[in-house]
Amino acid sequence: MKPISITLIAALCAVSPVFAQDAGMKSGQYMMAVQNGMMKSMQSMKPTDNPDANFVMMMMPHHQAAIDMAKVQLEYGMDPQLRKMAEQIIAAQEKEINEMKKWQSEHGN
């Protein structure tokens, strides 16, 4: 192995925890922003006298937040099992949001 390669490896090993910490901080900040956005969206909603309509209205931003958090995981996460779970969450939540939108349109909401 050439001396420059050893130096490069040593430098990368020293710097990689900094990158991991930075990714952790960014992902945590994005997760909190998603959570705050969901709460703000839900707080601005006006409940109706229809419990079914209320359920759908409140669940859509909840599901969208799950999608957004899963996208943060795909951007920053490295664990293969969690990345696969994030992909599954995105697919499932998008499907359910579409079903809820369909329900709303069929029920005049």
Side-chain angles (χ1 to χ4, degrees):
M1 196 178 263
K2 297 179 182 177
I4 189 142
S5 297
I6 293 170
T7 304
L8 180 59
I9 291 169
L12 289 173
C13 288
V15 173
S16 64
V18 173
F19 287 135
Q21 183 179 12
D22 186 49
M25 290 296 291
K26 283 184 181 177
S27 67
Q29 290 169 346
Y30 290 138
M31 293 284 188
M32 290 305 298
V34 168
Q35 177 75 11
N36 292 337
M38 177 190 72
M39 293 306 293
K40 185 177 180 181
S41 173
M42 292 171 78
Q43 288 170 346
S44 68
M45 294 178 173
K46 294 184 173 134
T48 70
D49 60 352
N50 181 336
D52 297 326
N54 292 336
F55 172 76
V56 169
M57 176 178 56
M58 298 297 267
M59 285 303 290
M60 286 197 299
H62 175 74
H63 278 31
Q64 185 61 54
I67 292 168
D68 295 342
M69 287 182 180
K71 288 179 179 180
V72 171
Q73 172 60 21
L74 292 176
E75 178 72 24
Y76 293 99
M78 294 178 230
D79 184 279
Q81 183 179 1
L82 293 178
R83 291 178 60 78
K84 182 177 179 181
M85 186 183 300
E87 290 171 348
Q88 292 169 340
I89 287 169
I90 292 168
Q93 301 297 301
E94 285 178 343
K95 179 179 182 274
E96 289 181 9
I97 287 173
N98 287 331
E99 290 170 1
M100 286 184 265
K101 285 180 178 179
K102 182 180 178 198
W103 183 91
Q104 282 182 320
S105 69
E106 291 171 351
H107 293 84
N109 295 306

